[in-house]
């Protein structure tokens, strides 16, 4: 394990509320609009190197780094549950079910650990085959679904893995892709299946945003639904798909860096004929909004003419409403390293201060 760590500030907050200021100690948040709740806390003994992610676990969070192969647990109140980071296998993706987590590396191989870092598999086991790399890992009820990149333009490899580390070959399939111009936006799952969003570009360059329902075994259910053919989609540069309980939201960023959202029910029913403008959401590589049962916590970029760019937070509700924006990061924080996560009662933000 590395003994040289750069500091991270970690802030914990109760659902729908998150706001922090210079490093100090943790405090409690109340449900409502974002309000001051925690002073960010930095504990060098549990500081991780950068390139981290935040995974929800029972009663808290697992902050992990696939590149540096380290992880540390924090309780809902921000209390560190580990005296020092513990080693985990190198990974590209991590997802937890109860006390077991599945790690999948870039080559599509898996290993399981417990939330305290106990290794359950001595060696990685193959999940994807024929050199297929993992694109995403999602929890689907009491199992995981691993979706891969096949290198082909006409299929999306899909297979499920149970918590015993068994790859369920009967679920292995190739989801067809329209080679005329599909672009995959995202996929989110619940116990009943997954909702998969994608864009289609026609010969004129017009972009349409579509969604389709997948069964727990990856079978396509019914016909796809058109989410939006809004003219701004033709200039869209980034997409994100998240789930807020029974309601999903697909965000797209236009050429002016303004974010819009369209809500969709889990059955594919579109709730917003006109996309909802939500502001300038910070898109940073694989960043995903932190969502809970009734909404998502969005990091909003705010231009500051007198100093560094600021990051504020807003809660985007599953009802389509937005809370007022409130400051989140202090100017010295590295916005590129911001990661957030939510469990049913608390949200946590992690960023790098170097």
């Amino acid at each position: 394990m590395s003994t040289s760590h750069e500091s991270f500030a970690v802030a914990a907050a109760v659902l729908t509320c998150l706001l922090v200021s210079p490093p100090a100690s943790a405090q409690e948040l109340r449900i409502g609009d974002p309000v001051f709740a925690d002073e960010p806390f930095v504990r060098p003994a549990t500081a991780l190197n950068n390139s981290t992610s935040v995974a929800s676990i029972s009663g808290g969070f697992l902050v992990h780094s696939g590149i540096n192969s380290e992880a540390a647990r924090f309780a809902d109140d921000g209390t560190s549950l580990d005296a020092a980071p513990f080693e985990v296998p190198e990974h590209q993706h991590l997802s937890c079910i109860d006390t077991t987590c599945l790690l999948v590396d870039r080559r599509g191989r898996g290993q399981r650990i417990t939330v305290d870092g106990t290794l359950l598999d001595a060696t990685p086991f193959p999940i994807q085959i024929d050199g297929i790399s993992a694109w995403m890992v999602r929890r689907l009820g009491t199992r995981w679904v691993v979706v891969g990149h096949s290198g082909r333009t006409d299929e999306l490899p899909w297979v499920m893995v149970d918590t015993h580390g068994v790859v369920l070959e009967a679920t292995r399939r190739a989801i067809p892709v329209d080679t005329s111009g599909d672009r995959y936006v995202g996929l989110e799952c619940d116990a009943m299946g997954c909702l998969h969003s994608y864009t289609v570009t026609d010969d004129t360059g017009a972009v349409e945003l579509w969604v389709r329902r997948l069964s727990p075994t990856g079978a396509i259910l019914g016909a796809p639904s058109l989410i939006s053919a809004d003219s701004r989609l033709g200039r869209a540069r980034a997409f994100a798909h998240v789930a807020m309980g029974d309601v999903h939201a697909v965000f797209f960023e236009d050429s002016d860096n303004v974010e819009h959202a369209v809500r969709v029910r889990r059955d594919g029913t579109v709730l917003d004929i006109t996309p909802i403008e939500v502001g300038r959401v910070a898109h940073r590589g694989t960043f995903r909004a932190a969502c809970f049962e009734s909404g998502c916590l969005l990091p909003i970029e705010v231009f500051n003419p007198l100093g560094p760019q600021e990051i504020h937070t807003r809660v985007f509700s599953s009802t389509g409403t937005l809370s007022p924006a409130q400051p989140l990061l202090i100017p010295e924080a590295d916005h590129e390293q911001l990661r957030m996560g939510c469990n049913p009662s608390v949200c946590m933000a992690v960023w790098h201060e170097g």
Side-chain angles (χ1 to χ4, degrees):
M1 184 185 303
S2 173
T3 58
S4 174
H5 303 290
E6 296 186 57
S7 296
F8 267 88
V10 183
V14 171
L15 267 181
T16 76
C17 309
L18 186 57
L19 189 68
V20 294
S21 60
S25 59
Q27 298 175 4
E28 188 180 16
L29 278 182
R30 299 298 180 189
I31 294 176
D33 292 336
V35 295
F36 278 103
D38 286 345
E39 298 290 342
F41 47 87
V42 180
R43 295 188 176 91
T46 57
L48 298 171
N49 288 319
N50 55 9
S51 301
T52 61
S53 297
V54 182
S56 171
I57 60 176
S58 178
F61 300 91
L62 183 67
V63 180
H64 59 102
S65 172
I67 294 176
N68 297 298
S69 304
E70 295 176 331
R73 296 171 301 158
F74 294 88
D76 281 350
D77 63 0
T79 304
S80 176
L81 300 178
D82 300 292
F86 52 84
E87 293 186 6
V88 297
E90 184 175 344
H91 59 279
Q92 180 77 4
H93 308 278
L94 180 148
S95 178
C96 299
I97 298 176
D98 297 327
T99 59
T100 302
C101 302
L102 175 67
L103 299 90
V104 181
D105 64 20
R106 294 176 183 273
R107 297 168 62 184
R109 302 177 306 172
Q111 268 184 291
R112 295 170 304 135
I113 61 169
T114 61
V115 292
D116 63 0
T118 302
L119 194 63
L120 297 177
D121 302 296
T123 58
F125 55 87
I127 299 176
Q128 298 290 4
I129 58 177
D130 299 329
I132 295 172
S133 60
W135 174 40
M136 61 174 61
V137 178
R138 295 288 186 265
R139 176 178 176 174
L140 204 167
T142 58
R143 297 169 176 174
W144 291 284
V145 59
V146 180
V147 182
H149 280 303
S150 66
R152 298 179 56 176
T153 58
D154 60 348
E155 65 180 33
L156 190 69
W158 164 294
V159 70
M160 296 187 70
V161 181
D162 69 17
T163 53
H164 300 288
V166 177
V167 180
L168 306 176
E169 293 296 336
T171 68
R172 192 182 295 280
R173 64 171 63 239
I175 301 172
V177 178
D178 183 352
T179 58
S180 65
D182 280 12
R183 175 185 173 188
Y184 281 80
V185 173
L187 178 136
E188 293 294 335
C189 302
D190 53 58
M192 304 302 293
C194 302
L195 201 62
H196 167 231
S197 54
Y198 60 98
T199 61
V200 176
T201 304
D202 63 22
D203 294 338
T204 67
V207 178
E208 295 178 338
L209 187 58
W210 289 79
V211 67
R212 59 184 174 183
R213 186 73 181 168
L214 303 177
S215 77
T217 59
I220 298 173
L221 301 176
S225 300
L226 178 63
I227 298 179
S228 180
D230 190 280
S231 61
R232 288 166 292 194
L233 280 172
R235 302 191 302 273
R237 303 191 308 175
F239 294 89
H241 179 162
V242 300
M244 305 172 286
D246 292 344
V247 176
H248 292 224
V250 179
F251 298 96
F252 66 91
E253 181 186 73
D254 65 23
S255 58
D256 296 322
N257 303 116
V258 177
E259 196 84 7
H260 306 267
V262 178
R263 295 171 302 132
V264 187
R265 291 193 183 96
R266 64 167 56 169
D267 64 1
T269 305
V270 178
L271 296 175
D272 303 303
I273 303 301
T274 302
I276 302 169
E277 184 174 321
V278 298
R280 297 177 182 270
V281 176
H283 277 288
R284 297 289 183 251
T286 58
F287 177 84
R288 296 173 64 212
C291 298
F292 41 93
E293 188 67 21
S294 60
C296 292
L297 199 63
L298 303 178
I300 305 295
E301 296 180 337
V302 177
F303 176 69
N304 180 7
L306 302 178
Q309 180 175 268
E310 297 178 358
I311 297 291
H312 292 199
T313 58
R314 301 184 77 174
V315 174
F316 178 71
S317 169
S318 59
T319 62
T321 60
L322 283 161
S323 72
Q326 297 286 352
L328 171 66
L329 299 188
I330 59 176
E332 292 77 13
D334 184 352
H335 299 169
E336 298 285 341
Q337 295 295 334
L338 172 65
R339 296 294 184 267
M340 300 194 303
C342 292
N343 63 27
S345 60
V346 176
C347 294
M348 176 173 280
V350 179
W351 64 89
H352 178 244
E353 291 184 352

